[in-house]
Amino acid sequence: MRFLHTSDWHVGKVLKGRNRLDEQRAVLREIVSLARTHEVDAVLVAGDLYDSAAPSAEAQELVVRALMALKETGAEVVAIAGNHDHPRTFDAYRPLMNVAGITLVGSVRTAESGGVVSFTAPRTGEPVRVAALPFLSQRHAIRAAELVTKTPAENSAGYDQLIRELVASLTAGFGDDAVNLVTAHLTVTGGAMGGGERAAQSIFEYHVPAGAFPADAHYVALGHLHRRQTLPAACPVVYSGAPIAVDFGEQDNTASVCLVEATPSTPARVTDLPLTSAKKLSTITGTVAELADRAAAHADDYLRVFVREPARAGLREEVQDLLPGALEVRIDPEFAAQVEVKRPSGGSEHATPGELFAEFCGERQIVDPRVQSLFTRLHDDVTAG
């Protein structure tokens, strides 16, 4: 059988105030096209379909249409909730999506109540079992462990032990007669962060060892870390990575989905399929003149710009006129003037508005006498009535 592994769509994510729904729509359309072209039997979406637990109506419509389009290719579609998603909302939509042939798993479930999804590969006929483990925060882990494993929480050694128990329970029915898959949204020890994750939910007590997954799993489809990577383990433990860079910390990541081929008796074979629909994120540095020379090469990019000139009034606007994709404009630290502004001897409560504004400009490393002059003129106009 063949299946696609994707995760971390983050539909609805805004970059520096820039709406990216059109980009996200193009990327999801590209994933649907790959599913159709490669005639896959299933698509696993390993969490964080949305960027927010309360997504906009437009974001919800885009995700629902994408899931339905994936199903229309003839593939089985299984999607789990990530830490950005709202698990109870996933569960609320579950009956309706089941009618459409799409399986959503929002909360941790027992194997018998939907934690294991079983089907026959539509095109090749192999039996398939998918153990589905949505994101589980530490504060909910004990309750879920009691539900699924019926093991007293007091006997658990920590979060990783709880995850081991959950995985063991969900994969207990794996056998040699089927393709055995696991999909989960979590951090595996030693995984490299992509640059845009919520660090508080990716480190310390939130990580688990790759050894938590059984050797008889043909493939473990993970979400949560945005960098494409495979972790060393007894079975393939794989992050597909995010299909679109969510911020400039991910600008060097390669966007892709994983095409996986497996049979009950052979190991999984993984091929990365690149995704090219999203805009490129780039960081560039230079003087205004140097940036002007490079404008054509970055005409279609979203940019973070470091200007190698001292700050002055109108500099940001000048750069954005040259580079319409410049979403963030900063002064290179080497050119950021260090200005020491002394407080008036009587303290700030006795300072004039002009002195307070000069102090503010100093703290922000804004050195331009025209700015102070403009403030003085505006202040005079206002106070003159």
Side-chain angles (χ1 to χ4, degrees):
M1 65 165 295
R2 287 192 298 273
F3 65 92
L4 285 187
H5 165 206
T6 179
S7 70
D8 297 282
W9 294 355
H10 287 276
V11 173
K13 173 71 174 179
V14 174
L15 178 63
K16 307 296 181 183
R18 188 67 60 94
N19 185 303
R20 304 183 75 187
L21 277 177
D22 285 343
E23 274 184 276
Q24 292 157 353
R25 184 176 293 107
V27 168
L28 294 180
R29 189 180 295 123
E30 191 175 3
I31 293 174
V32 172
S33 177
L34 290 172
R36 183 178 297 110
T37 299
H38 292 276
E39 298 184 323
V40 299
D41 295 283
V43 179
L44 305 184
V45 189
D48 280 357
L49 283 70
Y50 298 105
D51 189 63
S52 166
S56 67
E58 292 80 8
Q60 292 183 66
E61 179 182 5
L62 177 51
V63 167
V64 169
R65 287 186 179 277
L67 293 174
M68 293 179 67
L70 288 169
K71 179 60 183 175
E72 288 167 2
T73 67
E76 295 285 337
V77 179
V78 179
I80 63 173
N83 57 298
H84 284 252
D85 302 315
H86 194 285
R88 294 180 66 181
T89 299
F90 268 47
D91 290 338
Y93 276 109
R94 181 181 171 91
L96 183 61
M97 298 302 277
N98 281 347
V99 172
I102 298 163
T103 302
L104 294 184
V105 185
S107 305
V108 174
R109 293 171 171 268
T110 63
E112 297 76 19
S113 65
V116 174
V117 183
S118 299
F119 57 88
T120 299
R123 294 183 173 91
T124 58
E126 292 107 331
V128 183
R129 298 187 188 94
V130 182
L133 182 61
F135 178 76
L136 187 64
S137 66
Q138 188 189 38
R139 66 181 181 274
H140 293 133
I142 292 176
R143 185 167 56 192
E146 291 175 332
L147 170 67
V148 177
T149 68
K150 299 179 177 62
T151 300
E154 299 80 22
N155 296 332
S156 299
Y159 182 79
D160 65 330
Q161 182 60 33
L162 294 173
I163 296 296
R164 287 175 187 266
E165 293 169 357
L166 291 169
V167 171
S169 175
L170 293 171
T171 60
F174 282 4
D176 335 355
D177 60 333
V179 176
N180 302 310
L181 308 175
V182 178
T183 183
H185 193 90
L186 44 73
T187 302
V188 170
T189 309
M193 295 180 70
E197 304 89 346
R198 290 180 181 169
Q201 294 176 339
S202 304
I203 57 176
F204 304 128
E205 71 269 21
Y206 287 99
H207 69 83
V208 298
F213 303 106
D216 57 354
H218 289 84
Y219 184 88
V220 178
L222 297 180
H224 194 32
L225 300 186
H226 293 181
R227 187 189 304 272
R228 165 67 178 92
Q229 56 195 300
T230 301
L231 282 301
C235 59
V237 176
V238 179
Y239 285 100
S240 65
I244 178 172
V246 301
D247 62 29
F248 289 100
E250 300 183 3
Q251 66 181 33
D252 296 326
N253 294 352
T254 301
S256 63
V257 295
C258 298
L259 175 66
V260 186
E261 298 176 88
T263 73
S265 59
T266 58
R269 184 174 64 185
V270 185
T271 304
D272 290 351
L273 304 178
L275 299 170
T276 59
S277 298
K279 282 180 172 287
K280 183 179 179 183
L281 273 57
S282 301
T283 299
I284 59 175
T285 303
T287 64
V288 172
E290 290 168 342
L291 295 172
D293 291 340
R294 300 170 65 184
H298 295 281
D300 298 324
D301 298 355
Y302 285 142
L303 300 172
R304 177 173 56 181
V305 181
F306 289 91
V307 185
R308 292 182 59 79
E309 294 182 14
R312 64 173 185 273
L315 180 58
R316 178 186 300 274
E317 291 75 12
E318 186 178 347
V319 170
Q320 290 178 327
D321 285 343
L322 291 171
L323 302 165
L327 305 185
E328 187 176 342
V329 180
R330 300 182 183 181
I331 300 300
D332 187 294
E334 183 182 342
F335 288 80
Q338 301 296 322
V339 177
E340 182 180 351
V341 178
K342 295 182 179 179
R343 290 184 177 274
S345 58
S348 59
E349 65 273 15
H350 302 296
T352 67
E355 290 169 335
L356 291 172
F357 184 71
E359 182 178 352
F360 170 82
C361 290
E363 291 171 350
R364 296 296 189 276
Q365 299 180 340
I366 300 170
V367 185
D368 192 326
R370 294 174 300 169
V371 175
Q372 187 72 38
S373 176
L374 178 60
F375 174 85
T376 301
R377 180 159 58 84
L378 291 172
H379 183 262
D380 289 345
D381 288 347
V382 171
T383 55

